[in-house]
Amino acid sequence: MLRVLDAHELVCVAAAESSYSLRVNYSEGAREACNFGCIGKLLMAYLDEEEAKRLVLDGHVKRFTSRTVLDFDTLKKEWARIRLRGWIYSSGEALDGVKAVAAPVRDYSGGVCAGLGVTFPAILLPKSRVPPVVKAMVKAANALSLQLGFKDRRASNSKMSKRYGG
Protein backbone atom coordinates (compact mmCIF):
# COMPACT_ATOMS: atom_id res chain seq x y z
CA MET A 1 0.00 0.00 0.00
CA LEU A 2 1.17 3.51 -0.79
CA ARG A 3 0.08 6.40 1.43
CA VAL A 4 0.72 10.14 1.52
CA LEU A 5 0.00 12.87 4.04
CA ASP A 6 -2.59 15.43 2.98
CA ALA A 7 -2.56 18.18 5.63
CA HIS A 8 -3.47 16.27 8.80
CA GLU A 9 -4.79 13.12 7.12
CA LEU A 10 -3.18 10.00 5.75
CA VAL A 11 -4.50 9.04 2.31
CA CYS A 12 -4.21 5.63 0.68
CA VAL A 13 -3.27 6.34 -2.95
CA ALA A 14 -2.67 2.75 -4.01
CA ALA A 15 -3.45 -0.63 -2.51
CA ALA A 16 -3.06 -4.23 -3.60
CA GLU A 17 -4.99 -7.08 -2.05
CA SER A 18 -3.13 -10.06 -0.64
CA SER A 19 -3.72 -13.52 -2.06
CA TYR A 20 -3.89 -14.97 1.47
CA SER A 21 -7.38 -15.85 2.71
CA LEU A 22 -6.58 -14.14 6.00
CA ARG A 23 -5.64 -10.54 5.17
CA VAL A 24 -5.90 -6.87 6.08
CA ASN A 25 -7.55 -4.76 3.38
CA TYR A 26 -7.35 -1.03 2.74
CA SER A 27 -9.20 0.93 0.07
CA GLU A 28 -7.67 3.44 -2.29
CA GLY A 29 -8.82 6.92 -1.34
CA ALA A 30 -9.41 5.98 2.30
CA ARG A 31 -8.45 8.70 4.76
CA GLU A 32 -7.21 8.14 8.31
CA ALA A 33 -5.66 10.23 11.06
CA CYS A 34 -2.08 11.28 10.28
CA ASN A 35 -0.61 8.75 12.74
CA PHE A 36 -2.55 5.71 11.50
CA GLY A 37 -0.35 2.64 11.33
CA CYS A 38 3.29 2.40 10.56
CA ILE A 39 3.05 4.49 7.39
CA GLY A 40 1.49 7.35 9.35
CA LYS A 41 4.21 7.20 11.97
CA LEU A 42 6.87 6.91 9.24
CA LEU A 43 5.62 9.98 7.37
CA MET A 44 5.36 12.01 10.56
CA ALA A 45 8.98 11.09 11.32
CA TYR A 46 10.09 12.87 8.16
CA LEU A 47 8.04 16.04 8.71
CA ASP A 48 9.57 19.25 9.96
CA GLU A 49 9.61 18.85 13.76
CA GLU A 50 7.43 21.93 14.32
CA GLU A 51 4.83 20.65 11.86
CA ALA A 52 4.81 17.21 13.50
CA LYS A 53 4.52 18.82 16.94
CA ARG A 54 1.59 20.91 15.75
CA LEU A 55 -0.22 17.80 14.49
CA VAL A 56 0.23 16.16 17.89
CA LEU A 57 -0.64 19.19 20.02
CA ASP A 58 -3.63 20.16 17.86
CA GLY A 59 -5.16 16.74 18.45
CA HIS A 60 -4.77 15.30 14.95
CA VAL A 61 -3.13 12.12 16.26
CA LYS A 62 -5.67 9.56 17.41
CA ARG A 63 -5.63 6.48 19.62
CA PHE A 64 -6.46 3.29 17.71
CA THR A 65 -5.35 0.63 20.19
CA SER A 66 -3.75 0.51 23.61
CA ARG A 67 -0.36 0.42 21.82
CA THR A 68 -0.86 3.68 19.91
CA VAL A 69 1.72 6.24 21.03
CA LEU A 70 0.35 9.78 21.51
CA ASP A 71 2.96 11.45 23.74
CA PHE A 72 5.03 13.94 21.74
CA ASP A 73 8.34 13.26 23.52
CA THR A 74 7.96 9.50 23.05
CA LEU A 75 6.99 9.97 19.41
CA LYS A 76 9.98 12.25 18.85
CA LYS A 77 12.33 9.47 20.04
CA GLU A 78 10.57 6.89 17.87
CA TRP A 79 10.73 9.21 14.84
CA ALA A 80 14.50 9.58 15.32
CA ARG A 81 14.87 5.78 15.32
CA ILE A 82 12.78 5.52 12.17
CA ARG A 83 14.95 8.08 10.35
CA LEU A 84 18.12 6.31 11.50
CA ARG A 85 16.91 2.89 10.31
CA GLY A 86 15.14 4.08 7.19
CA TRP A 87 12.12 1.83 7.80
CA ILE A 88 9.53 0.97 10.46
CA TYR A 89 7.99 -2.16 11.94
CA SER A 90 4.87 -1.98 14.07
CA SER A 91 2.71 -4.43 15.92
CA GLY A 92 -0.83 -3.65 16.97
CA GLU A 93 -0.50 0.14 16.99
CA ALA A 94 -3.30 0.79 14.48
CA LEU A 95 -5.26 -2.46 14.63
CA ASP A 96 -5.05 -5.19 17.25
CA GLY A 97 -3.62 -8.37 15.77
CA VAL A 98 -1.96 -6.62 12.82
CA LYS A 99 1.75 -6.19 12.12
CA ALA A 100 3.23 -3.97 9.44
CA VAL A 101 6.46 -2.83 7.80
CA ALA A 102 6.97 0.37 5.80
CA ALA A 103 9.73 2.37 4.13
CA PRO A 104 9.89 5.95 2.85
CA VAL A 105 9.50 6.92 -0.79
CA ARG A 106 11.53 9.95 -1.84
CA ASP A 107 10.94 12.33 -4.72
CA TYR A 108 13.42 14.09 -7.02
CA SER A 109 14.24 16.63 -4.28
CA GLY A 110 15.19 13.92 -1.78
CA GLY A 111 12.20 14.65 0.43
CA VAL A 112 9.96 11.87 1.67
CA CYS A 113 6.72 12.14 -0.30
CA ALA A 114 5.03 8.83 0.54
CA GLY A 115 5.26 5.66 2.55
CA LEU A 116 5.18 2.18 1.06
CA GLY A 117 4.06 -0.56 3.39
CA VAL A 118 2.63 -3.97 3.86
CA THR A 119 0.31 -5.24 6.59
CA PHE A 120 -0.21 -8.75 7.87
CA PRO A 121 -2.45 -10.48 10.34
CA ALA A 122 0.02 -10.97 13.22
CA ILE A 123 0.02 -14.75 12.85
CA LEU A 124 1.42 -14.41 9.30
CA LEU A 125 4.41 -12.26 10.29
CA PRO A 126 6.48 -14.03 12.94
CA LYS A 127 9.77 -12.40 13.93
CA SER A 128 11.68 -14.73 11.61
CA ARG A 129 9.87 -13.26 8.57
CA VAL A 130 10.43 -9.60 9.49
CA PRO A 131 13.96 -9.23 7.96
CA PRO A 132 12.97 -10.46 4.46
CA VAL A 133 9.84 -8.30 4.53
CA VAL A 134 11.90 -5.26 5.55
CA LYS A 135 14.36 -6.03 2.74
CA ALA A 136 11.53 -6.23 0.20
CA MET A 137 9.88 -2.99 1.39
CA VAL A 138 13.14 -1.02 1.39
CA LYS A 139 14.00 -2.36 -2.07
CA ALA A 140 10.54 -1.53 -3.46
CA ALA A 141 10.50 1.95 -1.88
CA ASN A 142 13.97 2.66 -3.28
CA ALA A 143 12.88 1.51 -6.76
CA LEU A 144 9.81 3.75 -6.61
CA SER A 145 11.97 6.64 -5.40
CA LEU A 146 14.26 6.20 -8.41
CA GLN A 147 11.22 6.34 -10.70
CA LEU A 148 10.30 9.65 -9.05
CA GLY A 149 13.75 11.03 -9.88
CA PHE A 150 15.51 10.46 -6.57
CA LYS A 151 19.27 10.24 -7.12
CA ASP A 152 20.85 10.30 -3.65
CA ARG A 153 21.46 6.76 -2.39
CA ARG A 154 22.02 7.68 1.28
CA ALA A 155 18.57 6.30 2.24
CA SER A 156 19.52 2.83 1.05
CA ASN A 157 22.92 2.98 2.73
CA SER A 158 21.66 3.29 6.32
CA LYS A 159 23.04 0.76 8.77
CA MET A 160 19.75 -1.14 9.09
CA SER A 161 19.05 -1.06 5.36
CA LYS A 162 22.44 -2.64 4.73
CA ARG A 163 21.63 -5.27 7.33
CA TYR A 164 18.50 -6.22 5.40
CA GLY A 165 19.98 -5.78 1.95
CA GLY A 166 18.35 -2.45 1.05
Tab-separated table of all heavy atoms in Angstrom, residues 5 9 14 20-21 24 39 41 44 65 100 117 120 124 144:
chain	number	residue	atom	x	y	z
A	5	LEU	N	0.653	11.951	3.114
A	5	LEU	CA	-0.003	12.869	4.043
A	5	LEU	C	-0.633	13.996	3.240
A	5	LEU	O	0.006	14.565	2.351
A	5	LEU	CB	1.008	13.457	5.035
A	5	LEU	CG	1.294	12.644	6.281
A	5	LEU	CD1	2.370	13.327	7.121
A	5	LEU	CD2	0.039	12.425	7.116
A	9	GLU	N	-4.234	14.448	7.374
A	9	GLU	CA	-4.793	13.122	7.117
A	9	GLU	C	-3.845	12.276	6.280
A	9	GLU	O	-3.104	12.784	5.441
A	9	GLU	CB	-6.125	13.230	6.383
A	9	GLU	CG	-7.238	13.842	7.200
A	9	GLU	CD	-8.531	13.867	6.427
A	9	GLU	OE1	-8.552	14.382	5.287
A	9	GLU	OE2	-9.526	13.361	6.979
A	14	ALA	N	-2.706	4.005	-3.269
A	14	ALA	CA	-2.666	2.747	-4.012
A	14	ALA	C	-2.654	1.592	-3.022
A	14	ALA	O	-2.008	1.665	-1.977
A	14	ALA	CB	-1.423	2.680	-4.899
A	20	TYR	N	-3.564	-14.157	0.308
A	20	TYR	CA	-3.893	-14.971	1.472
A	20	TYR	C	-5.378	-14.835	1.803
A	20	TYR	O	-5.967	-13.770	1.644
A	20	TYR	CB	-3.089	-14.516	2.705
A	20	TYR	CG	-1.644	-14.904	2.684
A	20	TYR	CD1	-0.669	-13.944	2.408
A	20	TYR	CD2	-1.239	-16.193	2.972
A	20	TYR	CE1	0.674	-14.279	2.405
A	20	TYR	CE2	0.100	-16.538	2.967
A	20	TYR	CZ	1.053	-15.586	2.679
A	20	TYR	OH	2.373	-15.911	2.671
A	21	SER	N	-5.977	-15.910	2.286
A	21	SER	CA	-7.379	-15.855	2.710
A	21	SER	C	-7.543	-14.942	3.914
A	21	SER	O	-8.519	-14.202	4.023
A	21	SER	CB	-7.895	-17.252	3.060
A	21	SER	OG	-7.874	-18.069	1.918
A	24	VAL	N	-5.477	-8.197	5.646
A	24	VAL	CA	-5.902	-6.870	6.077
A	24	VAL	C	-6.082	-6.057	4.801
A	24	VAL	O	-5.161	-5.960	4.000
A	24	VAL	CB	-4.842	-6.213	6.985
A	24	VAL	CG1	-5.308	-4.847	7.452
A	24	VAL	CG2	-4.510	-7.114	8.169
A	39	ILE	N	2.779	3.488	8.422
A	39	ILE	CA	3.051	4.491	7.394
A	39	ILE	C	2.789	5.884	7.948
A	39	ILE	O	3.552	6.822	7.683
A	39	ILE	CB	2.247	4.229	6.107
A	39	ILE	CG1	2.711	2.922	5.452
A	39	ILE	CG2	2.416	5.392	5.127
A	39	ILE	CD1	1.951	2.548	4.189
A	41	LYS	N	3.092	6.868	11.077
A	41	LYS	CA	4.211	7.205	11.967
A	41	LYS	C	5.480	7.491	11.154
A	41	LYS	O	6.224	8.415	11.458
A	41	LYS	CB	4.460	6.072	12.965
A	41	LYS	CG	5.477	6.449	14.028
A	41	LYS	CD	5.717	5.325	15.002
A	41	LYS	CE	4.665	5.311	16.066
A	41	LYS	NZ	4.956	4.334	17.134
A	44	MET	N	5.198	10.972	9.547
A	44	MET	CA	5.358	12.012	10.564
A	44	MET	C	6.814	12.149	10.986
A	44	MET	O	7.272	13.243	11.299
A	44	MET	CB	4.462	11.725	11.761
A	44	MET	CG	2.982	11.962	11.440
A	44	MET	SD	1.925	11.807	12.876
A	44	MET	CE	2.345	13.324	13.745
A	65	THR	N	-5.422	1.778	19.289
A	65	THR	CA	-5.353	0.628	20.192
A	65	THR	C	-4.612	1.078	21.447
A	65	THR	O	-4.108	2.200	21.517
A	65	THR	CB	-4.581	-0.559	19.570
A	65	THR	OG1	-3.185	-0.244	19.506
A	65	THR	CG2	-5.094	-0.924	18.175
A	100	ALA	N	2.970	-4.657	10.701
A	100	ALA	CA	3.234	-3.973	9.436
A	100	ALA	C	4.683	-3.529	9.342
A	100	ALA	O	5.362	-3.355	10.349
A	100	ALA	CB	2.304	-2.763	9.306
A	117	GLY	N	4.108	0.406	2.308
A	117	GLY	CA	4.057	-0.558	3.395
A	117	GLY	C	3.242	-1.783	3.072
A	117	GLY	O	2.531	-1.853	2.065
A	120	PHE	N	0.063	-7.327	7.734
A	120	PHE	CA	-0.207	-8.754	7.873
A	120	PHE	C	-1.041	-9.008	9.116
A	120	PHE	O	-0.811	-8.353	10.135
A	120	PHE	CB	1.104	-9.531	8.104
A	120	PHE	CG	2.054	-9.555	6.958
A	120	PHE	CD1	2.977	-8.532	6.776
A	120	PHE	CD2	2.071	-10.620	6.084
A	120	PHE	CE1	3.888	-8.561	5.739
A	120	PHE	CE2	2.978	-10.670	5.039
A	120	PHE	CZ	3.889	-9.643	4.864
A	124	LEU	N	0.697	-14.200	10.562
A	124	LEU	CA	1.417	-14.415	9.304
A	124	LEU	C	2.764	-13.702	9.236
A	124	LEU	O	3.474	-13.825	8.243
A	124	LEU	CB	0.547	-13.972	8.119
A	124	LEU	CG	-0.741	-14.759	7.911
A	124	LEU	CD1	-1.522	-14.192	6.728
A	124	LEU	CD2	-0.453	-16.239	7.705
A	144	LEU	N	10.820	2.727	-6.340
A	144	LEU	CA	9.809	3.746	-6.608
A	144	LEU	C	10.423	5.144	-6.517
A	144	LEU	O	10.127	6.020	-7.344
A	144	LEU	CB	8.643	3.591	-5.632
A	144	LEU	CG	7.425	4.478	-5.852
A	144	LEU	CD1	6.903	4.406	-7.278
A	144	LEU	CD2	6.333	4.078	-4.861
